């Protein structure tokens, strides 16, 4: 991994920047890729490189998706953090879902005519949901397309299911859906809550309607969620 990372200047810079950030900095700054990987650890190195490669593979130019990858990285970091706090949840799977949950928005902007206008309309409407507006305009929505894309990319079946269902929050707890997928969907809603508060952005309609159900599913009271928010602040500040 060190040899691969060292062969690409931008990839090397990403690892060094993360390893020397206030979150990981301890003692002398690291100066080599090997030192950076030792400081970050293999799991975090893999997470950093996954985010870097995804961002390089899918460039985002739309002003509507400004800071898209930054928000994806924050969501992924928040979910990996929560996975360490909750029993039986893979940090790798949680990070992957957080990173790729909304990646299809960038794909749809590039490939579907008129989708940029749909995003403007969907964000502005208060009489129907975001996905309802997508379906009216395009006969599909980003959750459906996202699930298909995740399957083509061969992400884990749990991640594919969670991406497909992350706006079908009425189904939270239904037996037809695996508990692992439910966990990711609920964690995604909690991560979105934390990221929005970190950025000073109002919560969306999904949180207002389903936030309590998500916390109940994960057996995580608001007091604990706010504690996680405090613990995540430094991590999110450095994304």
């Amino acid at each position: 991994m060190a040899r691969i990372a060292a062969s690409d200047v931008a990839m090397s810079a990403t690892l060094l920047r993360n390893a020397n950030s206030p979150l990981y900095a301890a003692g002398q700054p690291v100066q080599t890729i090997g030192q950076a990987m030792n400081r970050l650890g293999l799991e975090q190195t893999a997470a950093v490189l996954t985010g870097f490669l995804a961002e390089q593979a899918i460039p985002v130019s739309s002003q509507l998706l400004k800071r898209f990858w930054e928000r994806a990285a924050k969501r992924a970091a928040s979910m990996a953090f929560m996975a360490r706090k909750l029993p039986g949840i893979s940090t790798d799977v949680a990070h992957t879902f957080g990173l790729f949950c909304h990646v299809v928005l960038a794909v749809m902007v590039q490939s579907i005519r008129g989708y940029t206008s749909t995003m403007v309309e969907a964000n502005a409407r208060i009489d129907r949901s975001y996905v309802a507006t997508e379906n009216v305009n395009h006969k599909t929505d980003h959750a459906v397309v996202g699930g298909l894309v995740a399957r083509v990319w061969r992400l884990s079946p749990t991640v594919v299911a969670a991406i497909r269902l992350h706006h079908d929050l009425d189904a939270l707890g239904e037996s037809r859906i695996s508990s692992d997928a439910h966990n990711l969907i609920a964690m995604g809603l909690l991560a979105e809550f934390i990221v929005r508060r970190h950025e000073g952005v109002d919560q969306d309609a999904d949180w207002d309607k389903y936030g309590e159900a998500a916390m109940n599913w994960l057996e995580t009271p608001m007091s604990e969620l706010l504690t996680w928010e405090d613990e995540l602040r430094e991590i999110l500040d450095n994304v």
Side-chain angles (χ1 to χ4, degrees):
M1 285 183 67
R3 186 168 60 252
I4 293 169
S7 68
D8 185 283
V9 173
M11 194 181 295
S12 299
T14 299
L15 282 177
L16 290 169
R17 184 177 69 249
N18 276 268
N20 286 321
S21 71
L23 181 61
Y24 295 100
Q28 294 296 317
V30 300
Q31 298 178 344
T32 69
I33 298 303
Q35 291 172 351
M37 289 179 62
N38 285 334
R39 179 169 291 180
L40 292 171
L42 188 58
E43 181 181 291
Q44 184 60 23
T45 296
V48 169
L49 292 183
T50 299
F52 171 83
L53 292 171
E55 184 173 354
Q56 298 303 305
I58 307 175
V60 175
S61 58
S62 170
Q63 282 299 306
L64 289 174
L65 294 175
K66 188 177 180 181
R67 299 171 65 189
F68 175 84
W69 283 113
E70 180 183 323
R71 297 197 82 248
K74 287 180 179 180
R75 186 188 308 108
S78 298
M79 291 199 63
F81 173 90
M82 287 189 282
R84 298 185 189 100
K85 300 287 186 178
L86 297 167
I89 299 176
S90 163
T91 55
D92 180 50
V93 170
H95 182 276
T96 299
F97 173 78
L99 186 65
F100 290 104
C101 178
H102 286 149
V103 72
V104 75
L105 292 174
V107 176
M108 292 173 76
V109 164
Q110 294 176 9
S111 58
I112 298 179
R113 180 177 297 178
Y115 186 72
T116 301
S117 298
T118 295
M119 292 181 69
V120 174
E121 179 185 354
N123 283 318
R125 295 193 78 115
I126 60 174
D127 60 326
R128 64 188 182 207
S129 68
Y130 193 102
V131 293
T133 299
E134 289 179 306
N135 276 286
V136 167
N137 292 356
H138 303 289
K139 304 298 186 288
T140 190
D141 60 66
H142 73 277
V144 172
V145 179
L148 292 173
V149 170
R151 184 177 300 167
V152 170
W153 288 348
R154 298 191 178 185
L155 301 183
S156 79
T158 299
V159 172
V160 172
I163 290 176
R164 169 63 184 86
L165 297 167
H166 75 278
H167 281 295
D168 290 344
L169 294 162
D170 282 324
L172 192 62
E174 288 187 3
S175 59
R176 65 183 176 87
I177 303 169
S178 74
S179 60
D180 290 338
H182 281 309
N183 289 338
L184 291 181
I185 294 166
M187 289 169 64
L189 202 55
L190 268 58
E192 188 71 17
F193 170 83
I194 289 173
V195 170
R196 282 176 175 268
R197 283 173 60 91
H198 181 264
E199 295 181 345
V201 177
D202 292 339
Q203 297 300 322
D204 63 9
D206 280 349
W207 176 261
D208 293 338
K209 189 173 182 179
Y210 299 105
E212 185 174 356
M215 288 188 290
N216 290 339
W217 173 264
L218 296 169
E219 298 181 352
T220 302
M222 177 59 78
S223 58
E224 188 168 6
L225 181 57
L226 294 177
T227 298
W228 291 354
E229 179 189 6
D230 287 338
E231 295 175 10
L232 272 163
R233 186 168 291 112
E234 185 176 5
I235 295 174
L236 299 184
D237 284 343
N238 288 284
V239 168

